Amino acid sequence: MATATASDKKVKIGATKLLINNKWAESTSGKRFKTIDPATDEVITDVSESDRADVDKAVIAARDAFTTGDWSRMSAAKRGELLYKLANLIETYADELARIECLDNGKPLNDAKSADLPLTIACYRYYAGWADKIQGKTIPIQGPYFCYTRHEPVGVVGQIIPWNFPLLMQAWKLAPALAAGCTVLLKPAEQTPLSALRVGELIVEAGFPPGVVNILPGYGPTAGAAIASHPDIDKVAFTGSTEVGHLIMEAAAKSNLKRVTLELGGKSPNIVFADASLDQAIEGAHFALFFNQGQCCCAGSRLFVEEKCYDEFVEKSVQRAKRRVIGDPFDSKTEQGPQVDKDQFEKVMSYIDAGKKDGAKLLCGGDRVGKAGYFIQPAVFADVKDNMKIAREEIFGPVMSIIKFKSLDEVVQRANATPYGLAAAVWTKDITKAMAISNRVRAGTVWVNCYDVFDAAAPFGGFKQSGLGRELGEYGLQNYIEVKTVTVQL
């Protein structure tokens, strides 16, 4: 394993309390929980643990800010200015935030600096530009009337974000909600609360009025459930597992029929035809699966390879996986850090065991690396069948499953034979094949000869049990807007 010097690991830890109404406070219960460095299994710090009582306080603050506070009277242009200011502050402290993300999540520092931070900053700036461009229409209707629509903020929003991309998922949720004029309760994942709390400090520094953004670290069954079921929250947005998505929809329906958007699990097909540029496809498939320790909802985890090139593809993919550098996430040479925590580590290892028991061929990796932390050697399975557990269920770890196919029609049918529909990709030089896959595969995003290409302007979300609604782009604003029709007799 690569190692890093002590000086490389110096990270400034900021707020560890709850942010409610622009004030930092301990939770009502006084409880705190520990957040762990997954590279060492050592405690970083402890953080205030919110629950229903704190959610109630934050809802009151957010409701007041939305209905009578400075936010309710602020112009759309001013909201945009605040979002730009927040983006600039995040850019100013980008190195510090990347180090927090690296320490708390375990992702390589290089990835945090080259992917998470630039995409986060771009997202805030994109929606800052939208803030004063949210507008309705005039509609010609019969009779002596003037009819028009207003696009108004949906109200108080609860947002529950995951641990795999804490900063980025916070931006995907906060930026469109704030641009639309909503107020927010945001619950970061209990595994990775530190970067969200640091951004909370920057939100206050940027000048957002009290109650506009409230940050409540805590656990899903307590704080998360309280948000989903609260009768005075108008909408909830969640990114995480499909199983929890079902619970959130049920709670939202029982409480007040609040709006729900969900970005959930995936088992995305990544389809390689023999006429593709093979080296490009191998590197692309490697990135599609192993990026972020395999902890991506849209990971290309069902890798379908045409039988004509299957053996060569498998051999070269194994060679590439063996070259992957695993080690301390603060080391500049590291490509792969630890899984986020012990639970996730054990889950991934159980899937590796299941793959071997089901008869798939483990060609490399799959073992624990080192004695401290939660590092796993990149695993590559060949001869995987569609009915095997590793081909059906979301693993969320560095486990590549390579599956053989013969024809386009066959692979489309097999690609769609899943309850998920988040993303897909196709590798080919034949535009006809590329368009056939793009049109026929049931997924919210399809990449052609590339993977994991994201932009704040391009919508992202899933079909089927991969979710409801879209994030990013103009489509992402629709989740936070109510349409009101006004008709005036002339």
Side-chain angles (χ1 to χ4, degrees):
M1 286 175 58
T3 57
T5 63
S7 61
D8 289 331
K9 288 190 173 183
K10 287 184 178 178
V11 180
K12 176 185 176 183
I13 304 300
T16 61
K17 297 180 181 181
L18 314 182
L19 177 63
I20 300 177
N21 215 27
N22 274 17
K23 296 179 181 178
W24 295 98
E26 293 288 354
S27 61
T28 302
S29 68
K31 292 181 180 179
R32 297 178 73 85
F33 65 94
K34 300 182 188 304
T35 185
I36 306 296
D37 176 356
T40 63
D41 198 26
E42 296 174 354
V43 175
I44 302 169
T45 187
D46 57 2
V47 176
S48 292
E49 179 187 336
S50 66
D51 58 22
R52 186 170 295 275
D54 305 297
V55 170
D56 288 341
K57 291 179 182 178
V59 168
I60 292 170
R63 181 61 64 186
D64 288 346
F66 182 74
T67 56
T68 61
D70 292 342
W71 191 247
S72 66
R73 297 183 295 272
M74 186 177 291
S75 70
K78 179 62 176 176
R79 291 201 303 269
E81 289 176 14
L82 288 175
L83 281 167
Y84 275 123
K85 191 171 182 180
L86 177 58
N88 292 341
L89 284 169
I90 292 172
E91 187 172 51
T92 298
Y93 295 101
D95 184 72
E96 176 190 334
L97 286 162
R99 288 178 172 274
I100 292 172
E101 206 79 322
C102 178
L103 180 69
D104 206 19
N105 171 274
K107 68 177 62 208
L109 183 60
N110 283 347
D111 289 351
K113 287 183 175 181
S114 64
D116 296 57
L117 266 299
L119 289 170
T120 294
I121 294 162
C123 183
Y124 283 113
R125 286 181 175 153
Y126 175 83
Y127 282 109
W130 263 111
D132 60 358
K133 300 170 187 67
I134 301 170
Q135 57 197 17
K137 300 178 180 179
T138 58
I139 304 171
I141 64 173
Q142 295 184 27
Y145 303 102
F146 173 53
C147 181
Y148 64 95
T149 58
R150 289 171 49 85
H151 288 187
E152 299 182 355
V154 73
V156 177
V157 176
Q159 300 180 326
I160 303 170
I161 61 172
W163 46 258
N164 57 337
F165 292 95
L167 275 171
L168 188 56
M169 295 299 99
Q170 183 184 32
W172 283 20
K173 296 287 191 293
L174 274 182
L178 297 176
C182 297
T183 55
V184 177
L185 286 76
L186 184 136
K187 190 197 87 66
E190 60 268 24
Q191 296 90 341
T192 55
L194 297 181
S195 59
L197 293 170
R198 180 66 180 111
V199 171
E201 292 179 318
L202 300 182
I203 286 169
V204 175
E205 183 178 342
F208 283 83
V212 174
V213 179
N214 305 274
I215 301 179
L216 305 171
Y219 291 93
T222 50
I227 289 171
S229 62
H230 201 287
D232 202 28
I233 289 178
D234 302 299
K235 171 190 160 43
V236 62
F238 169 75
T239 295
S241 72
T242 297
E243 292 76 15
V244 175
H246 283 280
L247 296 175
I248 286 174
M249 284 197 73
E250 183 179 355
K254 287 181 177 179
S255 58
N256 60 347
L257 285 177
K258 61 173 61 67
R259 283 196 187 187
V260 177
T261 51
L262 304 169
E263 198 267 275
L264 306 176
K267 195 67 181 172
S268 300
N270 190 11
I271 300 167
V272 180
F273 285 96
D275 64 1
S277 173
L278 209 58
D279 289 342
Q280 179 190 7
I282 289 164
E283 187 61 32
H286 181 88
F287 178 76
L289 191 284
F290 292 114
F291 176 62
N292 205 48
Q293 295 66 251
Q295 298 171 155
C296 297
C297 53
C298 59
S301 53
R302 287 188 297 150
L303 179 51
F304 290 98
V305 179
E306 192 172 8
E307 64 177 2
K308 297 174 186 176
C309 65
Y310 185 85
D311 291 341
E312 181 183 359
F313 190 97
V314 168
E315 181 184 354
K316 290 185 175 180
S317 293
V318 170
Q319 293 171 2
R320 177 62 181 93
K322 288 180 177 179
R323 294 196 303 271
R324 189 166 182 80
V325 180
I326 313 163
D328 191 301
F330 282 89
D331 192 306
S332 62
K333 301 182 185 70
T334 295
E335 293 178 277
Q336 182 175 312
Q339 308 310 121
V340 73
D341 62 10
K342 183 179 180 181
D343 288 345
Q344 189 61 25
F345 171 85
E346 291 178 347
K347 175 188 173 186
V348 174
M349 295 302 290
S350 73
Y351 275 108
I352 292 170
D353 288 340
K356 291 187 284 189
K357 289 177 183 177
D358 285 347
K361 292 182 180 179
L362 180 60
L363 300 181
C364 72
D367 294 323
R368 181 172 191 155
V369 177
K371 295 181 180 180
Y374 306 117
F375 299 88
I376 299 174
Q377 289 178 339
V380 178
F381 280 99
D383 295 345
V384 177
K385 308 301 181 186
D386 293 357
N387 63 347
M388 292 179 178
K389 190 174 182 179
I390 59 173
R392 291 183 291 105
E393 299 182 13
E394 185 177 39
I395 299 173
F396 229 61
V399 181
M400 176 178 280
S401 299
I402 310 181
I403 308 167
K404 188 183 297 184
F405 77 90
K406 292 182 180 180
S407 69
L408 188 149
D409 288 341
E410 170 207 331
V411 79
V412 167
Q413 186 276 325
R414 294 169 69 188
N416 288 332
T418 174
Y420 299 111
L422 188 55
V426 55
W427 302 81
T428 178
K429 295 177 182 176
D430 185 335
I431 189 62
T432 302
K433 290 179 183 176
M435 297 311 297
I437 296 294
S438 300
N439 293 342
R440 294 170 61 186
V441 170
R442 299 279 294 164
T445 293
V446 180
W447 290 291
V448 178
N449 294 327
C450 58
Y451 210 97
D452 278 345
V453 177
F454 288 97
D455 190 283
F460 182 77
F463 288 18
K464 299 186 279 186
Q465 292 195 49
S466 285
L468 302 170
R470 292 295 179 268
E471 296 187 287
L472 301 179
E474 185 176 359
Y475 295 87
L477 284 169
Q478 296 173 3
N479 302 325
Y480 298 97
I481 289 171
E482 293 281 18
V483 178
K484 177 185 288 183
T485 300
V486 181
T487 303
V488 183
Q489 183 172 356
L490 300 177

